[in-house]
Structure formats: C-alpha cells, structure tokens
Amino acid sequence: MLLMASLSYSFLFFYSYFILTLFLLHAPLLVTSSTYRYKVVPSSLNRTASTNSTKHHHKWVGPVGYREITVDVNGAGEFLTVQAAVDAVPENNRENVMILISAGYYIEKVTVPASKPYITFQGEGRDVTIIEWHDRASDRGANGQQLRTYRTASVSVFANYFSARNISFKNTAPAPMPGMKGRQAAAFRISGDKAYFAGCGFYGAQDTLCDDAGRHYFKECYIEGSIDFIFGNGRSMYRDCELHSIATRFGSIAAQDRNSPDEKTGFAFLNCRVTGTGPLYVGRAMGQYSRIVYSHTYFDNVVAHGGWDDWDHASNKNKTVFFGVYKCWGPGAEAVRGVSWARELDYASAHKFLAKSFVNGRHWIAPSDA
C-alpha cells in the first residue's frame, strides 16, 4: 500500500510539472524596445490581425533586432528622402527600424505600406523636422482620377506598430472657405493598428489628420486646422495635445465616423487645450454612432453656440451619437454643453475614456510613454 501511494504521488508530481512546462512554453511573449512595450501579434499583418487569433496553437512573432537608418536632406545621411529610407526596409519587416530624420524640410509624399511594421520616424523637433506636400481632393493622380480626401495625405501609414516622435507633417494647400468642394487636404493618414505619436505636429486646414482606422495614442502633439481637422473611424486617445483652430468664418475640430454601436472606435481627448479662432464646433457626427469625449480639457472662447453638429439634420443622429464632456473648463466650456445630446458625464460613464486602456494600451505602450 505504501509503494502504491508513493507511485501515485510521483505520478502527480511529474504530471503537474509537465502541465506547467506546457503553459510556460505557450504563454504570450512580451517584447520591450526603446519605443514599445507590447504583446506581439500573429504573423498576419493585416489590419485585423490583432483580433483574429484562435484560442489554441498561437504563433507568436515580433521584432527581433534593431536597425537605424539616417536621412538628411543636406546629404549627411544614408538617404536624402524619407521615402527612400522606408523603401530600404524589407517587405515583411521583423526588426525595430529607427529612421533618424535630421532637421530640414522634406518636400515629398511618403507612404509606409502594410508590409513594413515596427518603423519609427524620429525627428529633431517638430519645429525643425518637417515632411510636407500639397495635394487636394480635387487634384488628379497618376491614373487621371481625382485623389479624393483620403489619398491627399502628405504621409500615409498602413503598417502596424508605427511610431513618430518630434517631427511635423504638413499639407501646404491653401485653406478653403467653408463649403468649397474638392479642397480637403490631409497632412497625415494613419490606417495601421497600434500607432504611437509623441511631440509631433500636424498642420493643415480642412481634414488635417485622417485618423482612419486602428488603435492610436497621441501624446503632447500639436494639431492645427480649420474644418474637421481630425476625422475618421480610429480608436484613439489624444492626451496633453493642443488643438488649434485657424477657422476664418466657421470651423470644427473632430468628425468621427463610427457607424455601429458594436464598434469600439471613438476619439477620447484628455487634458487637451482648444485654442485659435472660431467659431467652431468641437465635434461632428460623421457616422451614425459617432463617439467623441473631451475630459479635463480647456476650451478658449472659440466654441460655436451649441458646441456640436449632427452633420445631417434630417438623420436623427443626435439620438444615436455619444458626445460627452467631463470636467472641462475655460471660457468656451459652457458652449460645449450647449445641446441636450452632448451629455455632461459622471465618473462612471467617463472613466473608460480617461486611461490608455481605451486603446488597449497596456499591451503595447510602455508606462513611461503614457
């Protein structure tokens, strides 16, 4: 009987050890770099890769190694243009690639394709390192067709895990008057997932920043424009940013395009400052279920009466949108509360918009970066 008990305990010990070993071998890997701390995603790098994993047999992949590429418009780097540096990154990139961009004006149109994740644009300061172009929606592309808004961006990023620091992006097309057609001109388009921006500038007029799709985090950035100068269906947090209006007759800050109550997208503005000229709406219902929240944000005296716009007054969007403010202040703050369907939130309804967890940031943003 003692022999049988001893064998049973031995079997349980080795079985437990075997199960523990399997768990450790299959546990998700956390990768830390100078830019990110994140849970790496499955090998597929399309825009839905981070949500399409199965419960068993995960294949975890991530960046291995580090590479620097230098760009200097005056010839002191490896490349003269930013696009040439991006082109030097191989397809299906698996390295953390730091593209160091020296001070200067880079007059070019830049695209980071979906096949090149883990790229960082590192400038020398948003006032001295600038990428700019001048396309408008009515301009014609190489195929003879009008570009339309989304393809006007001076810089377009389709890759996941992109980041930019201390650099500015501009569209220098002239600012249009409200209602003019074909004058949309984006400075930057972000369509990849898990993108991080710190100390960056975005300069334009109508449709400056195309926050198109994916999870994004903007920290201490400056965003300037006149009409819908932040727009799209991203799931994004803007923290400690300045939103500066250059509107001459009428303008608007954000137009968010959420079209289903099941979508997790929306714009969360936290500890921001709204400055410049007005009057302007702080948010517009681009989508039927548009979602925009301002928390702890200062509004200068530039907000239009009512504060918000439902985009299409015949659509009843004011019954389905989620527009909110939480503990905002400044001479324009009262106007932000100007319509009944832009609610004053309490902590219970606002807390999800107050932390990087709104963009699942605990998995891919280092604590020091948030």
Side-chain angles (χ1 to χ4, degrees):
M1 180 68 76
L2 290 174
L3 178 60
M4 292 294 290
S6 177
L7 289 173
S8 297
Y9 285 127
S10 298
F11 174 79
L12 288 172
F13 172 80
F14 285 110
Y15 179 77
S16 300
Y17 179 81
F18 175 73
I19 293 298
L20 178 61
T21 302
L22 283 178
F23 172 79
L24 291 174
L25 286 174
H26 289 81
L29 176 65
L30 289 178
V31 181
T32 303
S33 75
S34 60
T35 303
Y36 297 117
R37 178 182 182 270
Y38 52 81
K39 182 177 179 181
V40 296
V41 301
S43 57
S44 174
L45 288 172
N46 59 43
R47 278 163 45 179
T48 59
S50 61
T51 59
N52 287 345
S53 60
T54 57
K55 292 183 179 180
H56 304 287
H57 306 296
H58 291 279
K59 182 179 179 181
W60 296 100
V61 297
V64 178
Y66 175 82
R67 178 186 179 186
E68 285 188 357
I69 300 174
T70 58
V71 182
D72 191 306
V73 72
N74 297 310
E78 298 170 73
F79 297 99
L80 291 172
T81 68
V82 178
Q83 187 63 61
V86 172
D87 292 344
V89 178
E91 297 287 320
N92 303 313
N93 173 57
R94 288 290 180 267
E95 286 186 303
N96 279 312
V97 178
M98 181 72 70
I99 299 180
L100 302 173
I101 307 171
S102 297
Y105 282 83
Y106 296 81
I107 315 300
E108 58 175 311
K109 191 155 177 158
V110 178
T111 300
V112 180
S115 60
K116 298 187 179 186
Y118 312 121
I119 288 177
T120 295
F121 285 2
Q122 176 73 58
E124 293 190 345
R126 78 178 190 210
D127 296 327
V128 297
T129 304
I130 299 159
I131 303 174
E132 66 176 51
W133 198 245
H134 49 257
D135 278 342
R136 298 177 299 182
S138 59
D139 293 342
R140 298 190 181 276
N143 62 0
Q145 301 297 313
Q146 289 189 353
L147 292 174
R148 304 181 69 83
T149 304
Y150 283 75
R151 289 188 289 158
T152 64
S154 302
V155 176
S156 298
V157 175
F158 301 95
N160 296 338
Y161 295 108
F162 174 84
S163 66
R165 297 171 183 267
N166 305 322
I167 186 171
S168 284
F169 310 97
K170 287 187 177 182
N171 190 312
T172 57
M177 299 304 293
M180 294 183 70
K181 295 183 178 180
R183 300 304 177 93
Q184 300 92 332
F188 195 93
R189 175 182 177 181
I190 177 62
S191 301
D193 193 27
K194 299 179 182 176
Y196 180 86
F197 303 86
C200 294
F202 302 86
Y203 296 83
Q206 183 170 352
D207 297 342
T208 301
L209 174 55
C210 179
D211 192 340
D212 181 27
R215 288 163 287 184
H216 314 135
Y217 194 91
F218 297 81
K219 178 184 177 183
E220 297 174 357
C221 292
Y222 175 90
I223 307 164
E224 178 179 289
S226 58
I227 301 169
D228 301 338
F229 57 92
I230 301 171
F231 76 100
N233 196 26
R235 179 179 171 187
S236 302
M237 172 161 279
Y238 295 81
R239 181 162 188 165
D240 301 316
C241 295
E242 182 174 357
L243 315 175
H244 185 77
S245 169
I246 58 170
T248 55
R249 291 188 181 177
F250 220 92
S252 53
I253 299 173
Q256 208 279 328
D257 198 24
R258 181 170 173 251
N259 282 289
S260 163
D262 298 324
E263 290 184 271
K264 296 181 179 180
T265 58
F267 298 157
F269 297 95
L270 176 63
N271 295 332
C272 293
R273 291 181 60 84
V274 174
T275 60
T277 56
L280 74 158
Y281 293 121
V282 300
R284 300 180 72 210
M286 187 178 179
Q288 186 68 42
Y289 290 85
S290 178
R291 184 161 64 167
I292 302 171
V293 173
Y294 291 90
S295 303
H296 298 287
T297 290
Y298 169 85
F299 291 94
D300 209 345
N301 190 25
V302 296
V303 180
H305 177 71
W308 305 83
D309 177 59
D310 63 3
W311 192 279
D312 179 355
H313 296 284
S315 66
N316 292 319
K317 287 181 180 176
N318 55 16
K319 297 180 180 178
T320 56
V321 300
F322 189 97
F323 289 162
V325 292
Y326 178 67
K327 293 190 176 181
C328 294
W329 57 291
E334 192 59 36
V336 178
R337 306 179 182 95
V339 292
S340 60
W341 39 276
R343 64 202 79 178
E344 179 75 32
L345 305 179
D346 57 17
Y347 179 76
S349 54
H351 77 278
K352 71 170 67 174
F353 304 101
L354 301 176
K356 64 182 179 180
S357 56
F358 178 68
V359 294
N360 298 131
R362 288 173 295 180
H363 299 293
W364 58 278
I365 303 173
S368 60
D369 283 337

